[in-house]
Amino acid sequence: MEKWVCLMMMLVAILELSFGVKGAEEVTYDGRSLIINGQRNILFSGSIHYPRSTPQMWPGLIAKAKQGGLDVIQTYVFWNLHEPQPGKYDFSGRNDLVGFIKEIHAQGLYVSLRIGPFIESEWNYGGFPFWLHDVPGIVYRTDNEPFKFYMQNFTTKIVNMMKEEGLYASQGGPIILSQIENEYGNIQKAFGTAGSQYVEWAAKMAVGLNTGVPWVMCKQPDAPDPVINTCNGMRCGETFTGPNSPNKPAMWTENWTSFYQVYGGVPYIRSAEDIAFHVTLFVARNGSFVNYYMYHGGTNFGRTSSAYMITGYYDQAPLDEYGLFRQPKWGHLKELHAAIKSCSTTLLQGVQRNFSLGELQEGYVFEEENGKCAAFLINNDKGNTVTVQFNNSSYKLLPKSISILPDCQNVAFNTAHLNTTSNRRIITSRQNFSSVDDWKQFQDVIPNFDDTSLRSDSLLEQMNTTKDKSDYLWYTLRLENNLSCNDPILHVQSSAHVAYAFVNNTYIGGEHGNHDVKSFTLELPITLNERTNNISILSGMVGLPDSGAFLEKRFAGLNNVELQCSEQESLNLNNSTWGYQVGLLGEQLKVYTEQNSTDIKWTQLGNITIDEVTLTWYKTTFDTPKGDDPIALDLSSMAKGEAWVNGQSIGRYWILFLDSKGNPSQSLYHVPRSFLKDSENSLVLLDEGGGNPLDISLNTVSVTDLQDNFSKLPFPTYT
Ligand SMILES: *[C@@H]1O[C@H](CO)[C@@H](O)[C@H](O)[C@H]1NC(C)=O
Ligand SMILES: *[C@@H]1O[C@H](CO)[C@@H](O)[C@H](O)[C@H]1NC(C)=O
Ligand SMILES: *[C@@H]1O[C@H](CO)[C@@H](O)[C@H](O)[C@H]1NC(C)=O
Ligand SMILES: *[C@@H]1O[C@H](CO)[C@@H](O)[C@H](O)[C@H]1NC(C)=O
Ligand SMILES: *[C@@H]1O[C@H](CO)[C@@H](O)[C@H](O)[C@H]1NC(C)=O
Ligand SMILES: *[C@@H]1O[C@H](CO)[C@@H](O)[C@H](O)[C@H]1NC(C)=O
Ligand SMILES: *[C@@H]1O[C@H](CO)[C@@H](O)[C@H](O)[C@H]1NC(C)=O
Ligand SMILES: *[C@@H]1O[C@H](CO)[C@@H](O)[C@H](O)[C@H]1NC(C)=O
Ligand SMILES: *[C@@H]1O[C@H](CO)[C@@H](O)[C@H](O)[C@H]1NC(C)=O
Ligand SMILES: *[C@@H]1O[C@H](CO)[C@@H](O)[C@H](O)[C@H]1NC(C)=O
Ligand SMILES: *[C@@H]1O[C@H](CO)[C@@H](O)[C@H](O)[C@H]1NC(C)=O
Ligand SMILES: CC(=O)N[C@H]1CO[C@H](CO)[C@@H](O)[C@@H]1O
């Protein structure tokens, strides 16, 4: 070991001499951990994604992460934000990756940069810019030249940018780790040998960029040397099959603190005790890097979330959507980190030994040559507290828990013993909009065939037609009625997310799908005119898909339209001449922007028609609530749509899609303070129909003060 350290220090010295960089840190690894400047490390990391909050929020989030005992902030890089058109880059505002990394550096933490550039992440199209779809001959994420060109191009762009800013640890910056690809092991089989060739290529390409810091591939058991294979999941202490070489450390890149939530789904509550148990088990079994996914989830602003994902992201993380402490999670993990850090030298230098302490109990001990010793006592029994004998003392272990003994004698932490009190979210209403005079409205238009210019004798695929410029695509048809009946059933099959049918400008009915079942049908009795009829069907998506093989070949939109008079007589309309309109009129006019909002004839608020799709835009203004508390709109009186504040979209909402308990999956929608002026902020909503804007409220969000209800109970010793 000593020779090793010596060599490392010489290397660092040489590096510093040759590059003249001060503070450059050599990052390597061995079978035990990452090695930074010759030192092994147990590192706690947390995911915070820069575009899911605002630059104004970053310093506070990072400070709270540091206070919570994290060493590293992990983020993905969001390709579709940065390269919206080929070769045209955007790194401004929430996309300021360099600014985010520099803030982390300024606060003394490290960065784990997951470039991907496929990231999944419940992010629109898994992070791919949609223009990739139109590259001739492209097949994503396999041994395909066009794809590899663009993947290498973007990866190189990001790596060069980091180098130019001196952000790699090897240059004195904070980045100690980089990731290429993402959970590719999940889909590799679909590509056969081309998949394995692609993994080889991706590893070589990444390593060839000479970042001076190690690369990882997560959920990629065969990650080629020197790329480290890492674990993602909730219980990596149990499930990880281990590094694929004795020279690689055990690292956990995604330990899910909760789980993403879809419309129609309930929040996934993962207890602080359960997270602590699995993190501790992973460390007891030689794990040396644990990342919390997410440490702060934040907000999917605009249309950035992937199919059916709600706008709030991992609100149940240790820092909630607004960046407020979620207790006891944050505090419990902070104490865990401190307990492990107090004996990390012993864990990293000591020899590990494990032994049985009972039928469902086991122990792990790390002993150094100098006699220093640390122990983990594990009770896998979910139902019972048990007393075990260890080193001539008895220890009481709570059900399903691990006690950490940094000196092999005194219990510093037990994963099931909460020393942190829960807190509660407080919603304070600051303004309502209950007066009819507060609002103006603008009725969007239902286009008929004659209003459209894009035509096709087939049902077009939706994503390829909208190019993701809008969630909406109108399918319109002029129908000469040659049927034997005037009251057929309109039968529509869709593989998008919602569909609303209009006949002769009258709303007939609609339906939606869900995250798990990829298509749905409409069966609507309609009444036709004897001669010409207009059929207009609005197909909507709530985000593009973000996962799976062959993403470029996915089909969304209508796949079958028929009129049925009887079982025997039906008219298939798939190959009729359809007229298309991408997006709603209000979107084309950008009625949510300040400038254009004045071009439009807004009218007094009309009556609300429940159960009808009207496509109505609503507009009002509000003053910013005083103070620093985060701000949120309660949209529980609305139906489905999107909301803009001062021209910036705060995301989609979908109140009508109830969860299994009969509640909307998300009622509160974050309005970052940095989107606001002191007064006269504009709020514009597009509601698909049935919402009541009079019951919207503007609120501030806070949590109960930890000091007020802190439990003063002494920490039990269990001996
Ligand atoms: C990326 O591709 C563009 C052309 O599309 C080229 O101008 C640029 O130099 C490439 N960048 C890298 C880093 O390969
Ligand atoms: C931990 O690492 C040691 C070698 O340092 C090895 O003997 C032991 O089997 C490892 N334990 C686990 C659980 O992987
Ligand atoms: C429990 O909380 C108290 C009060 O904050 C603190 O002094 C003590 O160190 C905590 N115990 C552990 C094991 O962290
Ligand atoms: C030690 O740990 C290994 C790996 O988890 C396990 O297979 C083995 O049964 C353990 N030994 C004892 C004595 O518990
Ligand atoms: C046993 O406990 C003594 C203190 O009583 C401690 O010094 C020693 O390291 C422990 N050894 C083991 C193997 O747990
Ligand atoms: C346990 O205690 C006995 C006597 O009480 C002593 O002989 C033995 O060495 C102790 N073992 C350890 C591991 O400390
Ligand atoms: C996408 O649309 C273009 C026309 O805009 C068409 O040429 C192409 O075949 C379509 N691709 C797919 C996969 O549907
Ligand atoms: C279509 O128009 C005809 C005549 O204008 C009307 O009788 C019929 O009810 C309309 N159908 C629907 C579904 O609105
Ligand atoms: C529509 O046209 C396609 C291709 O031209 C053909 O395969 C399909 O069978 C037709 N569908 C109907 C219902 O006629
Ligand atoms: C206003 O709308 C027009 C189309 O009516 C559009 O060309 C223009 O870009 C819009 N202006 C803004 C600021 O969005
Ligand atoms: C709203 O409804 C009332 C009573 O039902 C009716 O008198 C009024 O004309 C309606 N207003 C609008 C704008 O439709
Ligand atoms: C690898 C691993 O631990 N995966 C788990 C992640 O969490 C989900 C949800 O609880 C489990 O189903 C996986 O087994």
Side-chain angles (χ1 to χ4, degrees):
M1 185 62 212
E2 262 168 44
K3 249 163 96 184
W4 201 180
V5 172
C6 236
L7 196 71
M8 294 298 314
M9 284 167 76
M10 272 171 64
L11 264 174
V12 170
I14 291 167
L15 264 175
E16 285 183 9
L17 276 179
S18 50
F19 295 119
V21 254
K22 206 162 163 274
E25 297 187 293
E26 176 80 349
V27 185
T28 58
Y29 58 81
D30 65 6
R32 189 65 190 94
S33 79
L34 286 182
I35 298 174
I36 304 175
N37 273 353
Q39 295 285 317
R40 284 178 175 167
N41 288 275
I42 288 182
L43 296 173
F44 293 103
S45 170
S47 287
I48 301 178
H49 294 157
Y50 52 99
R52 284 176 158 140
S53 55
T54 62
Q56 292 72 14
M57 291 169 72
W58 295 342
L61 295 173
I62 295 162
K64 285 175 176 175
K66 182 176 184 176
Q67 200 190 340
L70 295 197
D71 309 290
V72 183
I73 302 296
Q74 173 170 291
T75 184
Y76 280 124
V77 177
F78 295 77
W79 187 1
N80 53 12
L81 292 183
H82 296 310
E83 197 177 358
Q85 287 161 50
K88 298 237 160 67
Y89 296 101
D90 182 354
F91 291 95
S92 64
R94 289 201 306 278
N95 302 352
D96 183 6
L97 172 60
V98 167
F100 182 65
I101 294 177
K102 285 186 171 169
E103 179 61 37
I104 298 169
H105 194 31
Q107 296 202 30
L109 299 186
Y110 292 124
V111 171
S112 158
L113 191 67
R114 307 174 86 192
I115 299 180
F118 175 79
I119 60 170
E120 191 159 329
S121 193
E122 293 67 66
W123 190 258
N124 199 42
Y125 219 40
F128 283 161
F130 194 78
W131 54 258
L132 267 189
H133 179 267
D134 293 335
V135 171
I138 200 160
V139 184
Y140 305 157
R141 305 176 69 196
T142 187
D143 190 10
N144 168 276
E145 292 307 322
F147 178 71
K148 288 191 300 184
F149 171 83
Y150 286 103
M151 173 164 168
Q152 177 162 9
N153 191 281
F154 182 70
T155 306
T156 307
K157 166 87 188 172
I158 295 299
V159 167
N160 286 347
M161 212 171 145
M162 299 300 110
K163 282 184 185 170
E164 275 158 30
E165 299 281 347
L167 294 178
Y168 284 106
S170 50
Q171 303 171 290
I175 305 172
I176 54 166
L177 206 59
S178 253
Q179 179 178 310
I180 194 74
E181 248 297 339
N182 190 60
E183 297 192 349
Y184 187 67
N186 289 351
I187 64 161
Q188 183 170 343
K189 272 206 183 95
F191 298 102
T193 52
S196 324
Q197 281 156 15
Y198 168 66
V199 170
E200 289 290 335
W201 170 84
K204 239 192 219 109
M205 184 271 285
V207 171
L209 294 172
N210 297 317
T211 59
V213 306
W215 288 88
V216 304
M217 284 182 166
C218 59
K219 279 201 179 179
Q220 188 69 44
D222 63 350
D225 291 345
V227 175
I228 306 168
N229 60 307
T230 65
C231 180
N232 286 358
M234 290 205 184
R235 302 184 305 276
C236 285
E238 291 169 0
T239 58
F240 189 40
T241 52
N244 63 18
S245 147
N247 303 323
K248 296 179 185 178
M251 299 175 67
W252 190 351
T253 35
E254 288 191 19
N255 171 23
W256 302 325
T257 52
S258 169
F259 211 59
Y260 60 75
Q261 191 182 349
V262 298
Y263 286 109
V266 294
Y268 184 102
I269 313 286
R270 190 179 183 198
S271 72
E273 297 92 315
D274 187 53
I275 301 171
F277 180 92
H278 288 283
V279 170
T280 307
L281 184 64
F282 189 69
V283 173
R285 293 191 173 158
N286 293 343
S288 60
F289 181 101
V290 177
N291 178 70
Y292 297 101
Y293 192 97
M294 300 291 296
Y295 198 76
H296 169 256
T299 309
N300 294 311
F301 296 110
R303 301 190 303 108
T304 58
S305 68
S306 66
Y308 290 107
M309 292 300 150
I310 66 170
T311 291
Y313 192 61
Y314 280 78
D315 181 37
Q316 294 292 325
L319 300 178
D320 73 9
E321 177 176 2
Y322 306 95
L324 302 171
F325 292 118
R326 183 170 288 285
Q327 298 286 37
K329 221 172 252 189
W330 182 86
H332 194 50
L333 295 176
K334 175 184 162 85
E335 291 184 357
L336 164 64
H337 302 152
I340 290 176
K341 283 296 167 90
S342 73
C343 55
S344 62
T345 311
T346 305
L347 299 180
L348 291 165
Q349 310 301 345
V351 174
Q352 188 210 48
R353 171 165 75 76
N354 66 328
F355 46 87
S356 171
L357 289 168
E359 203 183 330
L360 291 170
Q361 290 75 35
E362 55 177 335
Y364 284 86
V365 164
F366 293 79
E367 274 178 302
E368 292 187 73
E369 275 174 15
N370 64 13
K372 279 197 184 160
C373 171
F376 298 89
L377 308 183
I378 303 171
N379 179 14
N380 284 306
D381 186 338
K382 290 193 176 108
N384 298 297
T385 298
V386 293
T387 301
V388 297
Q389 298 298 317
F390 168 67
N391 196 14
N392 278 3
S393 299
S394 48
Y395 294 86
K396 218 158 96 188
L397 302 178
L398 293 173
K400 190 75 184 173
S401 78
I402 306 178
S403 282
I404 302 175
L405 288 57
D407 56 358
C408 273
Q409 198 178 9
N410 298 297
V411 177
F413 183 83
N414 175 278
T415 59
H417 176 85
L418 289 180
N419 187 33
T420 305
T421 316
S422 301
N423 63 358
R424 233 172 359 92
R425 182 174 281 175
I426 305 169
I427 308 296
T428 310
S429 175
R430 296 303 194 93
Q431 187 178 335
N432 58 39
F433 304 89
S434 56
S435 160
V436 171
D437 300 328
D438 288 340
W439 293 95
K440 291 267 186 280
Q441 75 174 49
F442 169 71
Q443 202 61 51
D444 213 288
V445 172
I446 298 151
N448 284 326
F449 181 79
D450 289 339
D451 305 319
T452 62
S453 52
L454 176 61
R455 299 284 162 80
S456 173
D457 292 337
S458 65
L459 293 172
L460 293 180
E461 196 284 314
Q462 180 156 348
M463 296 179 275
N464 189 31
T465 310
T466 62
K467 304 296 177 199
D468 198 31
K469 293 282 184 286
S470 168
D471 283 352
Y472 299 104
L473 179 62
W474 281 103
Y475 290 72
T476 72
L477 187 69
R478 189 172 49 213
L479 180 77
E480 296 302 329
N481 184 0
N482 299 319
L483 289 164
S484 68
C485 69
N486 282 336
D487 50 0
I489 305 282
L490 173 65
H491 174 100
V492 178
Q493 194 188 335
S494 169
S495 58
H497 303 161
V498 296
Y500 304 119
F502 301 80
V503 176
N504 299 336
N505 298 319
T506 302
Y507 176 66
I508 302 301
E511 191 47 88
H512 67 81
N514 65 62
H515 180 255
D516 300 326
V517 183
K518 303 295 178 202
S519 73
F520 63 92
T521 55
L522 285 178
E523 302 273 353
L524 300 165
I526 62 170
T527 308
L528 291 176
N529 192 331
E530 297 242 320
R531 289 181 298 276
T532 308
N533 293 270
N534 283 303
I535 297 181
S536 299
I537 302 168
L538 181 63
S539 176
M541 293 186 77
V542 184
L544 303 192
D546 72 332
S547 61
F550 304 114
L551 203 54
E552 70 285 345
K553 294 190 182 66
R554 294 295 165 77
F555 189 98
L558 307 186
N559 21 37
N560 193 47
V561 182
E562 284 179 8
L563 290 172
Q564 297 170 331
C565 281
S566 63
E567 295 231 337
Q568 290 75 33
E569 187 189 354
S570 74
L571 175 64
N572 186 293
L573 301 169
N574 294 359
N575 293 345
S576 304
T577 302
W578 291 87
Y580 292 89
Q581 178 183 304
V582 173
L584 306 181
L585 177 65
E587 289 180 291
Q588 289 166 8
L589 297 175
K590 296 189 179 151
V591 304
Y592 45 82
T593 62
E594 303 257 8
Q595 303 93 308
N596 277 22
S597 147
T598 50
D599 299 350
I600 284 130
K601 222 171 135 349
W602 295 85
T603 61
Q604 290 300 311
L605 194 68
N607 292 335
I608 308 298
T609 41
I610 308 275
D611 289 338
E612 196 161 321
V613 167
T614 54
L615 305 174
T616 308
W617 297 81
Y618 298 102
K619 175 171 103 155
T620 189
T621 58
F622 65 91
D623 294 342
T624 298
K626 297 228 171 340
D628 296 323
D629 286 341
I631 298 169
L633 283 166
D634 185 339
L635 299 181
S636 51
S637 65
M638 302 305 285
K640 177 181 182 304
E642 188 173 346
W644 290 260
V645 170
N646 292 333
Q648 295 203 65
S649 172
I650 60 165
R652 304 181 180 98
Y653 63 88
W654 195 348
I655 305 301
L656 291 185
F657 198 152
L658 302 179
D659 65 24
S660 53
K661 294 175 184 157
N663 301 314
S665 294
Q666 185 179 355
S667 300
L668 286 178
Y669 290 83
H670 185 202
V671 182
R673 279 193 177 265
S674 59
F675 284 18
L676 300 175
K677 312 175 280 189
D678 286 346
S679 59
E680 285 289 302
N681 298 292
S682 100
L683 168 64
V684 175
L685 300 114
L686 162 68
D687 197 66
E688 291 176 4
N692 179 5
L694 298 176
D695 286 341
I696 290 177
S697 63
L698 187 74
N699 306 275
T700 51
V701 183
S702 57
V703 286
T704 48
D705 190 341
L706 301 180
Q707 306 312 317
D708 287 351
N709 59 0
F710 195 81
S711 117
K712 300 275 189 258
L713 292 175
F715 188 72
T717 53
Y718 301 119
T719 50

